[in-house]
Amino acid sequence: DVLDMECPHDAQLFDTDSNSTQAILRKLAHFQRWYQPIHGYVCVLICVFGIFTNFVHVAVLSRPNMRNSAVNCILTAVAVCDIGTMASYLIYIIHFVLRRNNSW
């Protein structure tokens, strides 16, 4: 049941007896059942796109005339860190989500 997500000693965040709350929770549960099978594939697409665009950012922001600005140097560092984050998440998604579901 959707409403079995309560923790007995926690403060009440919303009124679970309300019809509107129950309707929202049912819709969220329905969305979760719909989205879960495609989540891994959506993540792979987003990560590949993000890695590619961050490489473009690094290529543009690290040009000699762009390196003169401290802001551009910081943005380049952010893009490099973002590439690392997305690459590690891409490895995780492929190994633990897609391979588990598809038994490659």
Side-chain angles (χ1 to χ4, degrees):
D1 186 16
V2 174
L3 298 178
D4 290 337
M5 298 184 298
E6 293 182 35
C7 296
H9 303 293
D10 284 350
Q12 186 175 359
L13 297 177
F14 47 86
D15 183 14
T16 56
D17 296 327
S18 168
N19 289 336
S20 60
T21 300
Q22 291 176 0
I24 290 170
L25 290 175
R26 280 192 296 276
K27 287 179 183 180
L28 285 173
H30 175 72
F31 175 76
Q32 188 268 337
R33 285 190 301 275
W34 172 82
Y35 181 70
Q36 185 176 8
I38 64 170
H39 172 73
Y41 301 103
V42 171
C43 287
V44 167
L45 289 174
I46 290 172
C47 284
V48 168
F49 178 75
I51 290 169
F52 172 75
T53 55
N54 276 305
F55 271 122
V56 171
H57 290 144
V58 170
V60 170
L61 292 172
S62 62
R63 300 183 95 168
N65 59 341
M66 299 292 276
R67 281 184 271 167
N68 295 335
S69 169
V71 172
N72 289 347
C73 292
I74 291 171
L75 290 175
T76 303
V78 168
V80 169
C81 292
D82 200 27
I83 289 169
T85 301
M86 287 188 182
S88 65
Y89 190 67
L90 183 62
I91 292 167
Y92 165 79
I93 280 293
I94 290 171
H95 183 73
F96 289 108
V97 175
L98 297 181
R99 286 187 66 191
R100 179 188 55 147
N101 291 345
N102 293 332
S103 301
W104 288 351

